[in-house]
Amino acid sequence: MTPTVPAYRRLSVEERRSQLLDAALSLFAHRAPEDVSLDDVAEAAGVSRPLVYRYFPGGKQQLYEAALRSAAEELRLCFDEPLHGPLLPRLSRALDRYLAFVDEHDTGFSALLQGGSVVETSRTTAIVDGVRRAAAEHIFSHLGVTAPGPRLRMTVRMWITAVEAASLIWLDEDKQPPVEELRAWLVEQFVAVLTVTAGRDPQTAALVGALAEDGRD
């Protein structure tokens, strides 16, 4: 009996675009953007260079920005945690997903946040900044704050910057300390910076009090 040969299935436009973006993200995860060519993406996806141009006529810049948006959306989803249960475990789970992304994308994450790439533009900078702002909004939601004051806003944004810096240093230090320890340390730092700000800001002081009550439950 002749074995059945699977029928060839033509990819839809969205499926092909997704395939190309996945290939590009995989390459950008391990090499700086300027070290990735369209030929590299075509080879990784198993397609021709003209096909890559058909989907991304703007060339490498358009492909990089599209890949960056895809990565940014994945990073935003890291903080998409249900708004119930104790706050700090919620934050820990979000950081676990964030650090898993950092671990997986490694070199690409460093290139993304450190900048200096030949393909960096105001648009790519805005994409990265959008991730930071989305992370801050998620944190305010978890804190139950709809109108954060300037001190609380600054505190949360400073902590997000510290998380990014710690992630880059962690990669530079050969991913030491262990990721679980890094995550616990970052959660402790979040409580610490809120506690410092609480001495100057009644809104933050109320949040720190609520966190203390939360921890006793």
Side-chain angles (χ1 to χ4, degrees), residues 46-70:
V47 301
S48 66
R49 179 188 174 98
L51 183 63
V52 179
Y53 262 114
R54 185 188 307 171
Y55 282 83
F56 299 96
K60 177 176 171 177
Q61 181 66 43
Q62 183 185 8
L63 178 59
Y64 176 66
E65 289 180 12
L68 190 57
R69 288 190 188 93
S70 178

Side-chain angles (χ1 to χ4, degrees), residues 2-3 10 17-18 57 61 70 75 118 127 130 150 157 174 192 195 215:
T2 305
R10 193 180 193 87
R17 179 181 170 83
S18 178
Q61 181 66 43
S70 178
L75 271 173
V118 295
I127 292 168
R157 293 179 67 181
D174 297 322
T195 301

Side-chain angles (χ1 to χ4, degrees), residues 59-140:
K60 177 176 171 177
Q61 181 66 43
Q62 183 185 8
L63 178 59
Y64 176 66
E65 289 180 12
L68 190 57
R69 288 190 188 93
S70 178
E73 181 58 28
E74 191 173 338
L75 271 173
R76 286 191 185 95
L77 291 175
C78 290
F79 293 92
D80 191 11
E81 180 73 22
L83 297 176
H84 56 77
L87 172 66
L88 296 185
R90 280 185 262 155
L91 186 59
S92 293
R93 289 190 292 271
L95 281 173
D96 279 338
R97 290 190 291 270
Y98 180 90
L99 293 173
F101 181 95
V102 173
D103 189 17
E104 180 184 353
H105 291 79
D106 209 322
T107 303
F109 181 84
S110 297
L112 166 64
L113 288 186
Q114 289 177 319
S117 168
V118 295
V119 292
E120 183 180 14
T121 66
S122 59
R123 290 190 300 274
T124 61
T125 300
I127 292 168
V128 176
D129 190 55
V131 174
R132 296 173 180 140
R133 292 182 181 278
E137 290 305 315
H138 275 294
I139 290 171
F140 291 135

Side-chain angles (χ1 to χ4, degrees), residues 85-90 191 206-217:
L87 172 66
L88 296 185
R90 280 185 262 155
V191 176
L207 289 174
V208 170
L211 277 176
E213 289 294 326
D214 203 21
R216 285 194 285 267
D217 290 341

